[in-house]
Amino acid sequence: MVSFTFFLGFAGAIVSVLGSSGSPQLSRRVLHEHRRSPPIGWTLHKRADPDATLPLSIALVQPNLHNLESYLLDIADPDSPNYGKHWTPAQIAETFRPSKESVDVVHSWLMSDGVDPARIELSDNGQYVRVNVSVSEAERLLATEYYVYQEDASSTNHLACGSGYHLPEHVSRHVDVVTPTIHLGRLTASVISSSQGSTRVHARDVRRTSQRMQPPPLSAKPQDSSGGCSTFVTLDCIRELYSFDYTVGGKGNIGVVELGSENYNGKDMDTFFKSYVPDLVGQRPKMISIDGGAENMGQTNGNLIGESNMDFMLVMGLLDNKVPVYQYQIGNNGWFDELLAAFDKQYCSDAGLTGDSSCGGTMITNVISVSYGSGEDEPSKFLVRTCNEIGKLSLGGTTFVVSSGDNGPTAIGGQCMGSDGTPVDGNGNFLPGWPVTCPYITAVGATQMQPGKSTSDPESASIYFGSGGGFSNVFPRPSWQDRMVSSYLSRSAPNYGANVYNRSGRGYPDVSANGAYTVIVSDGSISESGGTSAAAPIFASMIVAVNDARIAAGKSPVGWINPALYSSTFANVFNDITIGSAPGCGTNGFSAVPGWDPVTGLGTVNFKLLLSRFMALP
Ligand SMILES: *[C@@H]1O[C@H](CO)[C@@H](O)[C@H](O)[C@H]1NC(C)=O
Ligand SMILES: *[C@@H]1O[C@H](CO)[C@@H](O)[C@H](O)[C@H]1NC(C)=O
């Protein structure tokens, strides 16, 4: 046996003996992942109890991920002969299954570092090596220190590494991420059994993106859309704005994501339907509970029904409820991870859902609409891994539509970034949104009708709030966006300091739709809402209608649409938005200009043209 001592400066001496296939082998530990500070809203509380138990999950590197974008372009580029030929779940699982070598290397490392092989388990999909360890054991294996972090808002606790963790160099190459480690705010589930008690983890700062609007000074009746659309946006106004005149036949489906206690009020739905779509009175979305997400239709708290009421009134209303509308209700303060894990068992450990009933097997709809968002201030390996998972699910033919946020160039209102990458109050660098910066998501910004104008006049960027947009610090600008975004950068980009926004990042949003004065019913009365929260379900409904027509014609649903939207084939589909801006972080932010811009994307769509372009594709 050869022993080897390595100093990490903070944790003292770490003794590591590494061997595989009989021959002892040495490898120095390298920093595998780190973060600079706890994300916004979290404070370091105290050192973790060394005897607490951690379900350590070592996610192995997935082969072929570097080809993910080209696999996707092969089926999503409008010029590709394989357009629309989506993959089966089995094909996706096989293509990205980790190699036996990766499994063996991690196994030998754990054994040589003193973990009894009987305790080590390989997940049945081959994606994770799992072992239950004490905090002190984890600290030794990963050359790190664990602390308890507290979320300021909820006082919930979370175990996480102080700054970074280390792996032997030869192991590091085979490991994607280890959890729970640095990812605060990710649900790592029933993490702890110790004297600290149960510290169920709270989701990070995820905001719904709906806006409550002041009632307009209006004499128009809600039912009357003629002339009143600039201050009272009904379903008919939306149809007029986007030439969304389509009779849904009943093919395809859509899922709308709701979080925690946010839920629609059944009575409100009926009051809305009675006024605008009488045939739908009594109809409801189909509930799919994820990680304990519960139905709570009697809810009347305006803060908890506003988002969900609006989402379903828009989607069911615009589609006449002629296709199944599912409600993905995510419980336990969960967020995007839970959703992905519910679809893909291979992703479950990332979401801490091992063995949970919400792990894999949940039906995935053709279109998923999400009106919640957070910021990109999380470890980049985690963001990339989540985004790749979205890409893998997109290979199966799903379109992810997400609201771009309501705070202009920063994902979280009033919060910008300091030069060292940590959050600061007030002025600072822009904070891009999440998950909208993932290139496999279609990000939807918000527009608004100009005061007193009609549905045939051009809209402006939303005035009431700043439509979310900007450039990712994690995801580079994809090729399909290059032509449009480069043109914006060279002609119209504002000249702020070098690090205020990232000129090489993926630009968002991709498209936009109306997000102001949206007529809904809330707690019994007709009222108005809005936000990119309205824009996302409006756009998503149009994609559902496109799928309906394609499926009826014997074609596949559209799946990932971004390369098509930016292609020259779709050039005339958009109503370019050239008025308005989205200020923030002590700057004027970005402005809407001709062509793509980081406020309204390519613009709003003319549905008739959008449909004809997608119908012309194979
Ligand atoms: C870890 O502990 C949990 C809870 O006791 C158990 O369900 C799980 O199977 C264990 N995992 C391993 C790899 O032993
Ligand atoms: C800018 O974005 C690129 C990805 O396109 C990234 O590699 C780089 O680190 C980002 N810069 C900053 C300062 O975040």
Side-chain angles (χ1 to χ4, degrees):
M1 294 284 267
V2 185
S3 72
F4 169 75
T5 306
F6 186 70
F7 274 88
L8 287 150
F10 61 89
I14 308 271
V15 178
S16 173
V17 184
L18 306 162
S20 65
S21 27
S23 60
Q25 122 192 49
L26 293 181
S27 160
R28 63 188 195 95
R29 273 190 161 71
V30 293
L31 182 64
H32 191 71
E33 259 196 295
H34 82 294
R35 80 177 133 63
R36 274 179 278 217
S37 65
I40 296 160
W42 290 85
T43 314
L44 194 153
H45 188 46
K46 60 180 180 188
R47 197 82 158 76
D49 175 352
D51 297 325
T53 307
L54 288 177
L56 212 57
S57 183
I58 300 160
L60 303 170
V61 163
Q62 303 174 54
N64 297 317
L65 266 186
H66 57 284
N67 295 323
L68 175 60
E69 195 192 14
S70 59
Y71 296 150
L72 274 161
L73 284 172
D74 185 50
I75 57 169
D77 182 330
D79 293 330
S80 167
N82 293 324
Y83 183 86
K85 292 185 184 157
H86 301 126
W87 292 25
T88 63
Q91 226 179 330
I92 298 169
E94 276 318 304
T95 303
F96 301 103
R97 185 185 298 279
S99 70
K100 183 170 180 308
E101 188 198 355
S102 295
V103 176
D104 290 347
V105 165
V106 169
H107 216 267
S108 326
W109 158 55
L110 290 171
M111 280 173 18
S112 63
D113 262 7
V115 178
D116 180 350
R119 291 164 60 201
I120 306 171
E121 189 183 274
L122 178 68
S123 67
D124 54 10
N125 49 61
Q127 294 274 336
Y128 304 91
V129 174
R130 295 195 188 113
V131 57
N132 289 332
V133 293
S134 67
V135 163
S136 61
E137 221 173 350
E139 290 184 338
R140 187 173 52 79
L141 286 168
L142 303 174
T144 185
E145 291 186 342
Y146 276 87
Y147 293 86
V148 176
Y149 288 84
Q150 201 161 64
E151 194 198 32
D152 306 337
S154 64
S155 299
T156 46
N157 287 337
H158 186 113
L159 276 197
C161 300
S163 58
Y165 64 96
H166 302 74
L167 294 173
E169 197 167 29
H170 75 286
V171 175
S172 185
R173 274 183 282 120
H174 292 277
V175 172
D176 195 355
V177 297
V178 181
T179 56
T181 51
I182 61 173
H183 314 281
L184 272 168
R186 296 184 57 204
L187 192 99
T188 48
S190 47
V191 177
I192 302 153
S193 52
S194 78
S195 53
Q196 285 161 344
S198 165
T199 25
R200 186 72 189 187
V201 182
H202 194 274
R204 53 145 314 150
D205 195 354
V206 177
R207 308 282 173 97
R208 75 186 89 89
T209 44
S210 61
Q211 296 286 329
R212 297 235 247 165
M213 319 268 321
Q214 301 301 324
L218 231 229
S219 53
K221 291 229 166 54
Q223 285 87 343
D224 174 18
S225 73
S226 60
C229 284
S230 70
T231 47
F232 221 97
V233 178
T234 59
L235 298 175
D236 283 344
C237 294
I238 295 164
R239 291 194 178 99
E240 277 179 31
L241 275 168
Y242 307 127
S243 306
F244 188 22
D245 179 13
Y246 178 83
T247 306
V248 183
K251 307 286 188 200
N253 54 24
I254 178 171
V256 179
V257 172
E258 303 295 342
L259 302 185
S261 316
E262 308 244 359
N263 214 315
Y264 65 85
N265 176 293
K267 270 198 201 141
D268 285 351
M269 297 285 283
D270 284 344
T271 307
F272 179 86
F273 290 147
K274 203 180 279 172
S275 290
Y276 303 105
V277 213
D279 287 354
L280 299 196
V281 171
Q283 301 204 26
R284 301 286 182 265
K286 300 171 198 305
M287 173 77 167
I288 295 182
S289 168
I290 293 173
D291 199 18
E295 211 149 8
N296 185 18
M297 288 183 300
Q299 181 63 259
T300 55
N301 176 343
N303 279 326
L304 295 178
I305 58 179
E307 179 65 63
S308 195
N309 272 8
M310 180 163 68
D311 291 344
F312 291 111
M313 288 169 191
L314 287 172
V315 168
M316 293 173 72
L318 287 170
L319 297 171
D320 257 332
N321 203 28
K322 287 276 164 46
V323 299
V325 174
Y326 292 91
Q327 172 185 10
Y328 290 121
Q329 187 78 33
I330 304 175
N332 274 319
N333 296 313
W335 174 215
F336 226 79
D337 273 8
E338 272 74 4
L339 180 71
L340 302 178
F343 300 136
D344 183 3
K345 202 168 158 197
Q346 301 202 2
Y347 193 73
C348 281
S349 283
D350 284 69
L353 285 180
T354 318
D356 190 281
S357 58
S358 297
C359 178
T362 297
M363 192 220 26
I364 187 165
T365 50
N366 304 135
V367 178
I368 294 177
S369 179
V370 182
S371 288
Y372 298 82
S374 55
E376 225 184 32
D377 57 324
E378 288 195 67
S380 58
K381 262 183 196 280
F382 158 65
L383 299 177
V384 169
R385 191 171 170 91
T386 308
C387 182
N388 283 335
E389 181 62 25
I390 295 165
K392 284 162 62 181
L393 291 168
S394 302
L395 276 174
T398 290
T399 313
F400 287 88
V401 176
V402 181
S403 58
S404 72
D406 295 355
N407 294 289
T410 180
I412 299 172
Q415 204 88 64
C416 302
M417 300 303 275
S419 52
D420 61 352
T422 61
V424 293
D425 284 332
N427 300 355
N429 298 335
F430 299 165
L431 169 60
W434 172 254
V436 276
T437 48
C438 170
Y440 307 127
I441 277 175
T442 301
V444 189
T447 55
Q448 175 164 352
M449 286 183 62
Q450 299 186 72
K453 294 293 173 75
S454 82
T455 50
S456 53
D457 291 315
E459 289 186 87
S460 72
S462 116
I463 303 161
Y464 194 85
F465 59 90
S467 173
F471 300 86
S472 175
N473 284 322
V474 175
F475 302 97
R477 180 165 61 249
S479 57
W480 40 265
Q481 200 186 42
D482 200 41
R483 187 172 55 94
M484 304 296 287
V485 175
S486 301
S487 162
Y488 169 82
L489 287 169
S490 62
R491 285 197 241 158
S492 316
N495 194 10
Y496 304 135
N499 296 318
V500 172
Y501 65 92
N502 192 331
R503 290 170 167 260
S504 62
R506 181 264 205 268
Y508 76 101
D510 299 299
V511 295
S512 49
N514 189 280
Y517 301 121
T518 317
V519 172
I520 64 161
V521 169
S522 181
D523 200 13
S525 46
I526 289 188
S527 63
E528 296 195 305
S529 183
T532 51
S533 269
I538 291 170
F539 181 77
S541 298
M542 292 193 269
I543 297 302
V544 175
V546 167
N547 283 344
D548 177 65
R550 278 183 56 92
I551 297 168
K555 300 184 179 204
S556 63
V558 287
W560 183 45
I561 53 175
N562 291 359
L565 298 181
Y566 284 83
S567 70
S568 49
T569 316
F570 281 65
N572 300 325
V573 162
F574 298 95
N575 308 306
D576 192 2
I577 309 296
T578 59
I579 307 165
S581 66
C585 297
T587 72
N588 293 327
F590 300 110
S591 296
V593 296
W596 181 90
D597 56 70
V599 184
T600 57
L602 297 162
T604 64
V605 293
N606 175 309
F607 175 78
K608 271 202 177 67
L609 296 177
L610 181 79
L611 179 65
S612 75
R613 298 298 187 278
F614 274 121
M615 289 308 287
L617 295 178

